[in-house]
Amino acid sequence: MKSSSSAPVTIRVGAPIGVADPRLFGSFVEHLGRGVYGGIYEPGHGSATPEGFRGDVLDLVRELGVTVVRYPGGNFVSGYDWRDGIGPRASRPRRLDLAWKSIETNQFGTDEFAAWCRAAGVEPMLAVNLGLGDVKSALELLEYTNHPHGTSLADERAANGAPEPYDVRVWCLGNELDGPWQLGHRSAQEYAELAATTASAMRMFDPDLELVAVGSSNADMETFGTWEATVLTRTIELVDYLSCHIYFYDDGDLAAFLRSADALDQFLERIAATIEHVRTVTRSTRDVKISLDEWNVWNYRDYDDIKAEREFEVAPRLLEQTYTHADAVVVGTLLQSILRHADSVSIAALAQLVNAIGAIRAEPDAPAWRQTIFHPFAAVARSAGHTVLATTSAGDISTAATVSPDGAEARLYLANRSLDSPAALEIDLSGIGAETVISAHLLHDDDPGATNTVDAPDRVAPRPLDAELVRGRVVVLLPPLSWADITVACRPNRG
């Protein structure tokens, strides 16, 4: 490592941005590859619960700090009939899934997902099929999940083992319908009308549901911006969130890849500006927020073989990306960006949870393990419900800071994106009464390509970091290509 001969960089912590909604620390489970079968659900595994859930995966999901999980898709949902996945398993149909060229056994469906959420301690977030599906099917699913009793669908749920309603609060009105790859792809105006009709009908059942309209699938869509404006102009009085999806990948330029969060900043700010524009032109007072319900690092080179000449099969190995140390640093900076936009983003879902571009990996004959990206997510998830404070950044340094509701604890998230230079930092916390460093952890490896595997599950993991508090400033030295989280005790609020 090069020595740090330059003067320390001072990071200033300032005014509140907003509160980190606990739903910012969500994830995503889709019937894609081994995300469900062999991921969260594997009845034959040695750790399996009586319901067939992998116990080792459940333990890691709790450790990860996930608060809400979106299900069942994703591209899968646009061809999915939810009724195929309920009732006696022996009579459930096997179907072709055209989205991922797979055979869906339907052994895991809505009831199993709700039970899994209870076991994991997470909130369910359901998507309805507005691709090949329709308003009637969406309403029937809503009745099945949320109506207490006395109708055929509510009573059917009870007969299937769940006498109490699931009370699902957050509903996605379809998925990525701006994309020509999506079953049921349509224009923005066509989708806006369908979403408005569906939202109006769902609100007749329960006006307090939280509804998510489909936004752009990625920032490179030709319709990016105009899609959001068209959809929201029609639905702004009917929905609570506008979704967006974005993934980042290393195309061989590692320095550029490490600045992915800069692109996420711009992406979120453009969507927030579009929402504000629609509010202005429609004279709406409705506070629609962003649901970033798919985001992650995803090596698109892995995607090239999904549609290759292969047979339809059950739970094929798809998108099982092995994440590197560099990927973990990038994910850490993306989490910083999400925090910095806590005033406009209220839901975010790391896509996905297990095996398929997942923070967790699981094999049939081995314990599940943490991918490298697991660690920054678990660290930042501890800021759920905290107030996000504005921070300065400089050059290769990326930062975020939060303070607990009682003001007694601050958390710092720091990244050094330089490939070869360490960074001496002084984080000025004098304005929030910092008293002592409670803990400090560093994510670093000399090899940017270092990974965690079943045989070496902790190669990339947080290690203790030297950090001290000097006259209200946290003083720390970060090596190149590293990410850190520091917890500081502060004088609690007096009131």
Side-chain angles (χ1 to χ4, degrees):
M1 179 192 300
K2 291 184 179 179
S3 63
S4 180
S5 58
S6 58
V9 175
T10 298
I11 306 298
R12 304 192 187 281
V13 176
I17 294 172
V19 174
D21 192 307
R23 287 174 177 162
L24 291 180
F25 308 107
S27 192
F28 177 35
V29 169
E30 181 176 5
H31 288 249
L32 191 177
R34 295 193 309 123
V36 173
Y37 306 111
I40 66 173
Y41 180 77
E42 190 175 353
H45 191 265
S47 73
T49 69
E51 299 88 356
F53 309 145
R54 277 194 64 150
D56 56 352
V57 170
L58 278 171
D59 289 341
L60 289 179
V61 170
R62 298 185 193 104
E63 180 186 333
L64 186 59
V66 171
T67 54
V68 60
V69 173
R70 179 171 170 253
Y71 173 87
N75 295 348
F76 173 80
V77 75
S78 291
Y80 178 57
D81 183 347
W82 67 271
R83 292 196 65 94
D84 288 344
I86 63 172
R89 287 194 181 91
S91 61
R92 295 183 191 181
R94 292 164 66 95
R95 305 285 193 196
L96 293 183
D97 167 32
L98 300 180
W100 301 113
K101 199 172 182 181
S102 304
I103 294 175
E104 175 54 52
T105 66
N106 285 302
Q107 295 301 288
F108 187 98
T110 302
D111 294 312
E112 287 78 19
F113 176 66
W116 181 86
C117 286
R118 287 195 302 272
V122 304
E123 178 186 6
M125 177 179 178
L126 288 181
V128 299
N129 180 353
L130 292 187
L132 301 185
D134 56 21
V135 180
K136 183 173 182 292
S137 176
L139 290 176
E140 289 173 345
L141 175 59
L142 176 59
E143 182 180 337
Y144 182 86
T145 60
N146 284 17
H147 193 62
H149 55 79
T151 68
S152 62
L153 288 169
D155 292 346
E156 185 176 3
R157 182 198 65 241
N160 289 336
E164 297 299 319
Y166 300 136
D167 193 30
V168 179
R169 306 314 303 162
V170 187
W171 293 81
C172 302
L173 303 175
N175 174 77
E176 291 190 358
L177 287 157
D178 62 328
W181 58 84
Q182 198 76 195
L183 293 170
H185 162 65
R186 45 180 52 86
S187 70
Q189 190 61 54
E190 290 169 335
Y191 170 72
E193 291 299 327
L194 178 57
T197 300
T198 308
S200 296
M202 293 178 76
R203 291 207 182 282
M204 291 177 72
F205 174 88
D206 182 348
D208 296 325
L209 294 175
E210 298 177 57
L211 304 180
V212 185
V214 168
S216 288
S217 301
N218 60 73
D220 296 326
M221 298 296 293
E222 290 184 3
T223 55
F224 177 57
T226 59
W227 175 279
E228 282 77 5
T230 299
V231 169
L232 202 53
T233 297
R234 178 67 180 88
T235 63
I236 192 165
E237 299 301 330
L238 295 166
V239 302
D240 303 278
Y241 307 94
L242 182 65
S243 80
C244 56
H245 298 169
I246 192 166
Y247 294 93
F248 298 92
Y249 65 101
D250 181 3
D251 64 0
D253 185 342
L254 181 55
F257 176 53
L258 289 168
R259 303 198 73 86
S260 295
D262 298 348
L264 180 57
D265 287 340
Q266 185 180 70
F267 181 62
L268 294 174
E269 287 156 15
R270 287 179 172 177
I271 295 170
T274 300
I275 293 173
E276 190 56 35
H277 169 73
V278 174
R279 278 167 46 91
T280 299
V281 299
T282 61
R283 311 295 196 271
S284 177
T285 59
R286 194 169 183 84
D287 188 19
V288 174
K289 298 295 190 181
I290 295 171
S291 176
L292 179 63
D293 46 40
E294 286 187 33
W295 70 272
N296 203 346
V297 168
W298 179 358
N299 187 339
Y300 277 88
R301 286 169 292 188
D302 292 341
Y303 183 77
D304 293 341
D305 293 332
I306 287 178
K307 300 289 186 179
E309 302 247 339
R310 61 177 177 80
E311 299 294 325
F312 282 92
E313 57 183 304
V314 174
R317 289 180 179 268
L318 296 178
L319 307 185
E320 297 195 6
Q321 178 167 334
T322 298
Y323 285 103
T324 67
H325 169 62
D327 294 332
V329 172
V330 170
V331 165
T333 62
L334 295 174
L335 285 157
Q336 291 170 332
S337 173
I338 290 169
L339 284 180
R340 292 194 298 263
H341 294 87
D343 56 338
S344 58
V345 184
S346 291
I347 298 175
L350 180 73
Q352 294 186 17
L353 187 58
V354 189
N355 288 333
I357 52 173
I360 299 167
R361 283 290 292 275
E363 289 294 334
D365 301 318
W369 70 95
R370 306 164 190 82
Q371 292 243 56
T372 62
I373 64 171
F374 181 104
H375 297 295
F377 188 102
V380 181
R382 291 194 286 269
S383 281
H386 285 207
T387 296
V388 182
L389 304 176
T391 56
T392 58
S393 296
D396 290 321
I397 307 305
S398 177
T399 64
T402 70
V403 64
S404 61
D406 63 1
E409 184 178 279
R411 295 185 181 276
L412 304 175
Y413 304 107
L414 311 170
N416 180 5
R417 300 181 290 190
S418 171
L419 293 176
D420 52 18
S421 297
L425 304 181
E426 293 185 357
I427 302 92
D428 186 354
L429 299 180
S430 57
I432 58 173
E435 294 187 321
T436 185
V437 173
I438 298 174
S439 65
H441 296 94
L442 179 71
L443 201 63
H444 172 69
D445 196 287
D446 290 334
D447 178 7
T451 64
N452 292 341
T453 66
V454 66
D455 296 319
D458 297 316
R459 162 70 188 270
V460 180
R463 313 294 184 202
L465 171 67
D466 289 332
E468 59 180 335
L469 192 69
V470 181
R471 293 184 296 276
R473 296 187 175 202
V474 172
V475 178
V476 67
L477 179 67
L478 296 186
L481 192 57
S482 65
W483 191 89
D485 69 280
I486 301 172
T487 303
V488 178
C490 305
R491 289 189 298 276
N493 296 335
R494 307 294 183 188

